[in-house]
Amino acid sequence: MVTSRQRYEEPGASLPCAEVANGVKIHRIWTSRFGRDKLLGRTADYLTFYLSAAWRLMRLTERDDTLVAKTDPPLISIVAAVVAGLRGARLVNWVQDVFPETAMALGVTGMRCWFGWILQRVRDASLRQAAMNIALGEKMAAYLVGRGGLHDRVKVIHNWVDDDAIVPIPPERNRLRRLWGLAGKFVVGYSGNMGRAHEFETILEAAAQLRSETDMVLLFIGGGNRKAYLEKETVKRGLPQVSFKPYQDTEVLAESLGAMDVHLISLRPELEGFVLPSKFYGIAAAGRPMIFIGDPGGEIGGTLRTGRCGAVVRPRESAELAMLLRKLRDDNDLRRQWGDNARRLIEEKFSAKRAMALWQGVLSP
């Protein structure tokens, strides 16, 4: 495994350069340390990662090895394709986000011109070189096939969580609810990355409409580019029921996810097929109902509808979101039914064991 020395939310932290964990050799390479908050600094971190990764992979990769390129950072498939070609290795791309399309949809400077067009063509070449390209959902898979004509070299394997470790915890037995002073409250949560890909205006407007509902709390857990904006808007709009917590350790993730009575997931509709919010899997494993703010015909929207474990609200329909939250607060049976269905969906369709079996099929020669 070749990865960075940095922690996700702590660019100043430094992990060991080399380590063996559960029999896996981990090589942590040097990168710059600007962090994820600023786009320019994040770009510098990516570029230095590409250079360091290419150098280390050239030293490690041997003929007939299988090289798996997990595309975060974006475009790492290009680096991996060059190394695999030079070393005679088998390439498997694990596509987490489709880039540069994501940057184009977000209006990142310089991406909607010749530069973005060139990146797409080079990225497409790295997909065509691969023995297999793993997509996170059907819409992403369809897009990749359309870009490269890779009908026999695109496979869907959903992301997963440790569904033995993350299990439903009744609110009355949840330690974090007590520590955070949430006893007796109806807790609406957003857990994970608060980034550019996510839509938050609908959530803020709904929170404003629910300002007088003193038994309702909106809790954001995590970090990201938009967290500072959300904190500022919370103060500006006078939303005392909104609070923030940092990312929680893996050891307490089940309690953190279980601290909510209902979870919110959001994705800007223009990013459907390019990004898939993987927070869904942890929430479902925790047996919690969900409301998705985004495209009703999107990947998460369709899953919530067919799995009967949540509801979908279009962006800017804040009144409908507020109405749904009131309904869920007052209907314990509906919350329990949606939560049970979510957990069942993990066990039947999105379990870690099922994902491992699919990956074993891809990686076996």
Side-chain angles (χ1 to χ4, degrees):
M1 178 179 289
V2 175
T3 185
S4 170
R5 298 176 192 173
Q6 296 177 240
R7 293 186 181 275
Y8 187 77
E9 279 295 303
E10 298 178 61
S14 184
L15 295 168
C17 299
E19 187 178 358
V20 176
N22 298 324
V24 177
K25 293 181 180 179
I26 303 173
H27 304 266
R28 295 193 178 94
I29 58 179
W30 176 87
T31 64
S32 58
R33 294 174 173 270
F34 294 102
R36 303 174 62 86
D37 291 339
K38 301 296 183 181
L39 187 60
L40 189 60
R42 191 173 182 179
T43 301
D45 289 351
Y46 282 154
L47 289 174
T48 53
F49 182 90
Y50 299 147
L51 293 172
S52 292
W55 179 80
R56 183 60 59 89
L57 287 171
M58 284 296 293
R59 298 180 62 196
L60 293 173
T61 308
E62 298 179 357
R63 178 169 295 278
D64 298 326
D65 279 351
T66 296
L67 178 55
V68 179
K70 186 175 184 289
T71 61
D72 189 7
L75 301 179
I76 196 64
S77 63
I78 297 172
V79 174
V82 172
V83 174
L86 291 172
R87 292 302 194 192
R90 176 175 179 261
L91 175 62
V92 175
N93 289 315
W94 188 3
V95 183
Q96 297 288 310
D97 301 324
V98 181
F99 193 90
E101 285 83 348
T102 298
M104 291 174 171
L106 292 174
V108 174
T109 302
M111 286 297 173
R112 292 181 177 177
C113 62
W114 61 269
F115 181 61
W117 183 87
I118 290 174
L119 288 179
Q120 282 182 306
R121 269 57 185 179
V122 178
R123 187 276 323 280
D124 289 347
S126 72
L127 299 181
R128 288 192 294 270
Q129 182 180 328
M132 187 59 66
N133 298 281
I134 305 301
L136 301 186
E138 299 295 340
K139 289 185 176 294
M140 183 182 290
Y143 181 79
L144 296 179
V145 168
R147 286 294 308 181
L150 308 169
H151 299 278
D152 59 341
R153 280 181 287 159
V154 175
K155 185 179 183 67
V156 175
I157 302 180
H158 292 273
N159 277 341
W160 67 90
V161 293
D162 185 347
D163 44 305
D164 290 328
I166 300 180
V167 296
I169 300 175
E172 62 274 12
R173 287 175 26 208
N174 192 303
R175 182 177 56 90
L176 289 184
R177 280 184 72 103
R178 295 194 301 272
L179 288 175
W180 292 344
L182 300 175
K185 299 290 186 179
F186 178 73
V187 185
V188 181
Y190 181 98
S191 179
N193 182 38
M194 305 169 206
R196 296 177 179 87
H198 308 290
E199 203 275 347
F200 293 110
E201 189 61 29
T202 307
I203 299 173
L204 289 171
E205 290 176 0
Q209 294 172 35
L210 296 166
R211 188 184 288 111
S212 61
E213 312 276 346
T214 56
D215 62 337
M216 195 177 296
V217 172
L218 175 56
L219 177 60
F220 287 92
I221 300 178
N225 174 267
R226 301 289 283 168
K227 183 177 181 180
Y229 162 79
L230 288 168
E231 291 175 326
K232 180 180 177 181
E233 286 297 307
T234 295
V235 175
K236 180 180 177 182
R237 302 183 191 209
L239 304 175
Q241 79 275 37
V242 179
S243 60
F244 296 84
K245 298 288 183 183
Y247 281 108
Q248 300 299 300
D249 292 336
T250 304
E251 292 75 16
V252 297
L253 187 56
E255 289 180 294
S256 176
L257 293 172
M260 323 297 191
D261 293 294
V262 59
H263 280 260
L264 303 178
I265 304 174
S266 72
L267 181 68
R268 292 170 57 168
E270 61 268 29
L271 293 176
E272 280 290 345
F274 303 151
V275 177
L276 199 154
S278 58
K279 58 172 62 68
F280 162 81
Y281 305 101
I283 297 167
R288 290 296 181 265
M290 289 160 266
I291 299 176
F292 175 63
I293 300 109
D295 181 359
E299 197 82 37
I300 296 295
T303 301
L304 295 186
R305 188 167 53 252
T306 58
R308 294 181 297 173
C309 56
V312 181
V313 173
R314 295 179 184 273
R316 292 292 184 174
E317 292 186 349
S318 55
E320 182 176 349
L321 176 57
M323 180 189 69
L324 264 172
L325 291 174
R326 290 189 183 101
K327 179 180 179 180
L328 285 167
R329 177 194 59 190
D330 299 335
D331 194 335
N332 294 335
D333 291 339
L334 180 60
R335 291 205 312 272
R336 188 179 303 109
Q337 179 186 355
W338 281 4
D340 290 346
N341 289 343
R343 177 66 194 191
R344 189 175 303 114
L345 203 58
I346 287 291
E347 295 171 352
E348 295 177 354
K349 191 174 180 180
F350 302 127
S351 69
K353 291 179 181 178
R354 186 176 187 276
M356 292 304 101
L358 293 171
W359 267 106
Q360 184 66 36
V362 169
L363 298 178
S364 297

